[in-house]
Amino acid sequence: MQNFIFWNPTKIIFGKGMIAEIGAHAAQHGKKALLVYGKASIKTNGIYDQVVGSLRQAGVGVVEFSGVKSNPILSHVNEGIALAKREQVDMVIAVGGGSVIDESKAIAAGVKTDGDIWECFLGRKEPQGALPVLTVLTIAATGSEMNFIAVLTNDATQQKFNLRSPHLFPKVSILDPTATYSVPKTYTAYGAVDAISHLIEGYFTSADPDTPIQDRYVEGLIKSIMESAERILANPENYEGRATMMWAATLALNGLPAAGIGATAFPNHLIGHSLGALYDLPHGATLSIVIPAWMRYAANLNPAKFAQFARRVFHLTAGGSDTEIAEKGVNALKVWFRKIGSPVSLSEVNIPESELRRIAEHTQPLAQKWQIAQQYTADVVAGILQDCK
Amino acid sequence: MQNFIFWNPTKIIFGKGMIAEIGAHAAQHGKKALLVYGKASIKTNGIYDQVVGSLRQAGVGVVEFSGVKSNPILSHVNEGIALAKREQVDMVIAVGGGSVIDESKAIAAGVKTDGDIWECFLGRKEPQGALPVLTVLTIAATGSEMNFIAVLTNDATQQKFNLRSPHLFPKVSILDPTATYSVPKTYTAYGAVDAISHLIEGYFTSADPDTPIQDRYVEGLIKSIMESAERILANPENYEGRATMMWAATLALNGLPAAGIGATAFPNHLIGHSLGALYDLPHGATLSIVIPAWMRYAANLNPAKFAQFARRVFHLTAGGSDTEIAEKGVNALKVWFRKIGSPVSLSEVNIPESELRRIAEHTQPLAQKWQIAQQYTADVVAGILQDCK
């Protein structure tokens, strides 16, 4: 195990009926909230009314800010920062999925940080603080509700970059599984892929061979995510399936699976972020395309770990070398992505082979920021993309 | 999954060489610390010098308070509270295992709470606050370093009771696995038993049959604890074994395995606490005596869960009914406790059969406090104890 610091102060309020608690928690942080959301869907499924009703009862005023995109963009964040300053709100309340929470974090930090908040995403400076962020989660996927990460796309430069800062931990996140009943099957599948991707990036890229606690955490969470995705796709209002998916996706990126495994890389996100920024594809869809190809590439470098994954997650215990079993595990995951309806090839999302070089080149600034440009050159990325056709 | 609130704000600083960080963290909480420890062993193994050196360098003054017992007692806690008040310390720094940390939490709460702190352990009132507690862990076992629980024995009444309060979360806990190199084999085994006991109490007493995330967490941690105990007993300075044991024991009782599984009971601790209070036995030793007998009793009530445990932890996948496989799992755990050198019968610790009734009666006040007196009557407890002879 490697040395680490683990600290995660977000309070999770989990379960049926818990959205009604938002007002009481918000009231501890002030009198006026910027209420951030995406589309009108939270008005049709009743979540908006639950949130606003609870806030009103607790005496917390609301300034609405909607229109967050699936891939949240800097220009909209800047509008939110200006509005939050003008209205002198005390906190930001995100009602939505990872996109809405990420944008809310960026707005909250932007209010307390001088100058252009994008400078922080570029790694050129640190946020000086942030307004308190509270969240009401409506999609299980990114884990943003219990971590200090925000991902944002600069719509002027088409860069999709992330920011990590202890100021960004939500104070309180309310996770009511029934709030995800109306998430369509496609986005349920993308959420499952996203949560699995968060787990396997660290699991496979850690160089430490002696992390039994973390390995078993990850394997157990992946199995629970896969089981619950199938329950949900069979019946979108299966409470236990929705609850397991929601909590597993939160735990997948709350710092715990990564604590003690040392330096890791996010190569699937590297390529996925470029696909998302260039073609505005859903994040989970980009990942299910990239992951099987990346795994085939990486399994050659560390067949033992990929074979462990195949044995423990897919119970592929038949004879064969680690390399053979690893390959079977990769295929099993790809088959499962296809089964739940997430794309596994670029052709399914209409990206022709002629684009591969452009995508590969586009990954390089982020690869440099993440300090993996030496391993993930444009040529290596292009090779992986070739395998995604 | 059941509704839950999860919040754990303790910062964990984990790894080789991390004790040197204590001064910098302590300095954030004031200028003067009550330094609580047990025996002089921390002076011979160098940990005392590391801690005091780091505090001195950071300008934090030290008031020493030693002599914490293996089962910490109220009269000593009251001495600590008086000393802390007299010296007007700003914080309490625990250097030791669960006993020292629990006593430090009780002192910290006692300083900020009017009247007798034991009233809080009796459940008659809540702590009004607590001094900041920082810990430097030297034994992997209780998980006290990352939770809000303190266990104390009232030496006047021989009651061993616990207190739970959000004020008791340590601010910072430093976990350096090398600090546990000198823990003798017996106490290493007791620590492993204790950590396993924390995991199985909730795992087996939850009434919710649909907790796949939590089940796999628990099963994975138990496997990691068992593997690491064997590595340590073969070589006490096996860093990876010590590191895995230390982190797994912390995670076993930090609230996460229990989040979402609903109401649970601590029947093994109920009986173990009586054995500890009456005969001053090490906590882990009392648990390895009680657990196999309790499991045999409880497996009859819920054979499916005990069979799952046997299959997943001990890979007992051969044919047979759930009841038969459950029984094999109980035996396998008992055999393993014996293998690592923790007692599995009352006769090994010289408690004669004539004492059983007295022990069973002694459990009843705590059973009432924990609201399990209807299920765990003195007769039921005596029956379980009969099976521990």
Side-chain angles (χ1 to χ4, degrees):
Chain A
M1 205 180 312
Q2 305 296 303
N3 288 6
F4 66 88
I5 294 174
F6 178 77
W7 180 60
N8 190 320
T10 299
K11 182 177 282 192
I12 298 293
I13 315 227
F14 189 101
K16 212 178 281 189
M18 290 297 114
I19 294 175
E21 306 289 316
I22 186 69
H25 289 281
Q28 294 176 25
H29 296 284
K31 287 280 176 202
K32 197 174 184 184
L34 188 73
L35 186 73
V36 181
Y37 59 98
K39 289 177 269 185
S41 58
I42 64 164
K43 296 205 176 173
T44 53
N45 64 17
I47 294 169
Y48 175 90
D49 288 339
Q50 290 179 62
V51 171
V52 172
S54 173
L55 291 170
R56 188 164 299 147
Q57 206 165 13
V60 177
V62 165
V63 177
E64 292 205 21
F65 184 62
S66 64
V68 177
K69 291 197 170 198
S70 170
N71 283 306
I73 54 174
L74 177 62
S75 58
H76 196 255
V77 164
N78 283 331
E79 283 177 41
I81 294 169
L83 179 62
K85 285 181 173 171
R86 198 163 62 238
E87 293 281 351
Q88 297 187 299
V89 301
D90 303 309
M91 72 198 89
V92 182
I93 299 179
V95 182
S99 309
V100 171
I101 299 172
D102 285 4
E103 174 151 340
S104 296
K105 289 174 172 176
I107 292 170
V111 169
K112 294 285 189 181
T113 303
D114 301 327
D116 183 359
I117 191 66
W118 187 250
E119 292 288 300
C120 296
F121 286 79
L122 291 173
R124 293 188 188 148
K125 66 179 188 190
E126 296 289 323
Q128 293 156 249
L131 289 174
V133 175
L134 293 84
T135 87
V136 175
L137 188 64
T138 62
I139 303 177
T142 72
S144 186
E145 61 278 7
M146 198 185 184
N147 68 37
F148 66 173
I149 309 171
V151 183
L152 195 61
T153 298
N154 183 327
D155 36 335
T157 65
Q158 283 190 316
Q159 287 168 308
K160 185 171 178 177
F161 277 17
N162 68 304
L163 167 63
R164 293 165 176 251
S165 161
H167 297 298
L168 300 188
F169 279 113
K171 299 291 181 202
V172 171
S173 283
I174 296 184
L175 279 59
D176 181 341
T178 68
T180 65
Y181 279 173
S182 55
V183 174
K185 291 192 176 188
T186 45
Y187 276 84
T188 298
Y190 300 156
V193 173
D194 193 21
I196 290 173
S197 80
H198 295 148
L199 292 162
I200 63 175
E201 296 271 34
Y203 180 87
F204 287 126
T205 65
S206 161
D208 188 332
D210 211 333
T211 54
I213 295 172
Q214 298 85 348
D215 285 5
R216 290 187 175 114
Y217 265 166
V218 167
E219 292 150 1
L221 285 171
I222 291 175
K223 288 165 82 160
S224 296
I225 291 165
M226 292 178 66
E227 285 170 5
S228 58
E230 297 188 18
R231 292 169 86 172
I232 297 166
L233 294 174
N235 171 15
E237 301 204 0
N238 180 307
Y239 182 80
E240 294 301 331
R242 291 288 190 185
T244 298
M245 178 67 80
M246 198 169 211
W247 189 219
T250 300
L251 293 173
L253 198 61
N254 78 340
L256 195 56
I261 67 172
T264 58
F266 278 68
N268 295 289
H269 280 74
L270 172 74
I271 307 174
H273 280 349
S274 277
L275 292 172
L278 292 171
Y279 308 101
D280 200 23
L281 293 167
H283 184 52
T286 66
L287 289 165
S288 58
I289 294 168
V290 172
I291 287 170
W294 175 81
M295 285 177 76
R296 254 191 301 276
Y297 162 78
N300 289 320
L301 311 174
N302 187 6
K305 192 64 175 274
F306 284 79
Q308 174 181 306
F309 174 82
R311 290 190 185 100
R312 294 195 186 168
V313 175
F314 288 102
H315 304 285
L316 298 168
T317 50
S321 68
D322 276 0
T323 304
E324 286 161 351
I325 290 174
E327 175 76 15
K328 285 182 195 168
V330 175
N331 289 338
L333 187 61
K334 184 172 182 175
V335 164
W336 188 79
F337 285 160
R338 193 182 287 129
K339 177 180 170 187
I340 62 168
S342 205
V344 292
S345 66
L346 291 166
S347 58
E348 288 170 72
V349 294
N350 302 314
I351 297 177
E353 192 174 349
S354 57
E355 289 283 282
L356 301 193
R357 195 74 218 173
R358 178 179 170 230
I359 303 164
E361 297 290 348
H362 185 270
T363 62
Q364 292 304 291
L366 187 54
Q368 275 161 23
K369 187 195 166 198
W370 284 354
Q371 302 181 323
I372 53 172
Q374 286 207 313
Q375 189 185 347
Y376 291 96
T377 60
D379 284 348
V380 168
V381 171
I384 293 169
L385 286 165
Q386 273 291 341
D387 200 22
C388 305
K389 286 189 297 184
Chain B
M1 205 181 310
Q2 304 296 305
N3 288 6
F4 66 88
I5 293 174
F6 178 77
W7 180 59
N8 191 320
T10 300
K11 183 177 281 192
I12 298 293
I13 315 234
F14 189 101
K16 211 178 283 189
M18 289 298 113
I19 294 176
E21 305 289 317
I22 186 68
H25 289 283
Q28 295 176 25
H29 296 283
K31 286 282 177 199
K32 197 173 182 183
L34 189 73
L35 186 74
V36 181
Y37 60 97
K39 289 176 269 184
S41 58
I42 64 162
K43 295 204 175 173
T44 51
N45 64 16
I47 293 169
Y48 175 90
D49 288 339
Q50 288 178 64
V51 171
V52 172
S54 173
L55 291 170
R56 188 164 299 147
Q57 206 163 14
V60 177
V62 165
V63 177
E64 292 205 21
F65 185 62
S66 65
V68 177
K69 290 198 170 197
S70 170
N71 283 307
I73 53 175
L74 178 62
S75 59
H76 197 254
V77 164
N78 283 331
E79 283 177 41
I81 294 169
L83 180 61
K85 285 181 172 171
R86 198 163 61 239
E87 292 280 350
Q88 297 187 300
V89 301
D90 303 307
M91 73 198 88
V92 181
I93 299 179
V95 183
S99 310
V100 171
I101 299 172
D102 284 4
E103 175 151 341
S104 297
K105 289 174 173 176
I107 293 170
V111 169
K112 294 284 189 181
T113 304
D114 301 327
D116 184 0
I117 191 66
W118 186 250
E119 293 286 302
C120 297
F121 285 80
L122 291 173
R124 293 187 189 149
K125 67 179 189 189
E126 295 290 323
Q128 295 157 248
L131 289 175
V133 174
L134 293 84
T135 88
V136 175
L137 187 65
T138 63
I139 302 177
T142 71
S144 186
E145 61 278 6
M146 199 186 184
N147 68 37
F148 66 173
I149 310 170
V151 183
L152 196 60
T153 298
N154 183 326
D155 35 334
T157 64
Q158 282 190 314
Q159 288 168 306
K160 185 171 179 177
F161 278 16
N162 67 304
L163 168 63
R164 293 164 178 250
S165 161
H167 297 298
L168 300 188
F169 280 112
K171 299 292 181 202
V172 171
S173 283
I174 296 183
L175 280 57
D176 180 341
T178 67
T180 65
Y181 280 173
S182 54
V183 175
K185 289 191 177 188
T186 45
Y187 276 83
T188 298
Y190 301 156
V193 172
D194 194 21
I196 290 172
S197 79
H198 295 148
L199 292 162
I200 64 175
E201 297 271 34
Y203 181 87
F204 286 126
T205 65
S206 161
D208 188 332
D210 211 334
T211 54
I213 294 171
Q214 297 86 347
D215 285 4
R216 291 187 174 113
Y217 264 166
V218 166
E219 293 150 0
L221 285 170
I222 292 175
K223 288 165 82 159
S224 296
I225 290 165
M226 292 178 66
E227 284 170 5
S228 59
E230 297 188 18
R231 292 169 86 170
I232 296 165
L233 294 174
N235 172 15
E237 303 204 358
N238 180 309
Y239 182 80
E240 295 300 333
R242 291 289 191 185
T244 298
M245 178 67 80
M246 198 168 212
W247 189 218
T250 301
L251 293 173
L253 198 60
N254 78 340
L256 195 56
I261 66 173
T264 58
F266 279 70
N268 296 289
H269 281 73
L270 172 74
I271 308 175
H273 280 349
S274 278
L275 292 173
L278 292 172
Y279 308 101
D280 201 24
L281 293 167
H283 183 53
T286 67
L287 289 165
S288 57
I289 293 168
V290 172
I291 287 170
W294 176 80
M295 285 177 76
R296 255 191 301 275
Y297 162 79
N300 289 322
L301 311 174
N302 186 6
K305 191 65 174 273
F306 284 79
Q308 175 181 306
F309 174 82
R311 290 190 185 100
R312 292 195 187 168
V313 175
F314 287 102
H315 304 287
L316 297 169
T317 49
S321 69
D322 276 0
T323 304
E324 287 162 351
I325 290 174
E327 175 75 17
K328 284 183 194 167
V330 176
N331 289 338
L333 187 60
K334 184 172 183 175
V335 165
W336 189 78
F337 284 161
R338 193 181 288 129
K339 177 181 170 187
I340 63 167
S342 206
V344 291
S345 66
L346 291 167
S347 60
E348 287 170 72
V349 293
N350 303 314
I351 297 177
E353 193 174 349
S354 57
E355 289 285 283
L356 302 193
R357 195 75 217 173
R358 177 180 171 229
I359 303 165
E361 298 290 349
H362 186 271
T363 61
Q364 292 304 291
L366 186 54
Q368 275 160 22
K369 186 195 166 199
W370 284 353
Q371 301 181 321
I372 53 172
Q374 287 207 312
Q375 188 184 350
Y376 291 97
T377 62
D379 284 347
V380 168
V381 172
I384 294 168
L385 285 165
Q386 272 292 340
D387 200 22
C388 304
K389 286 187 297 185

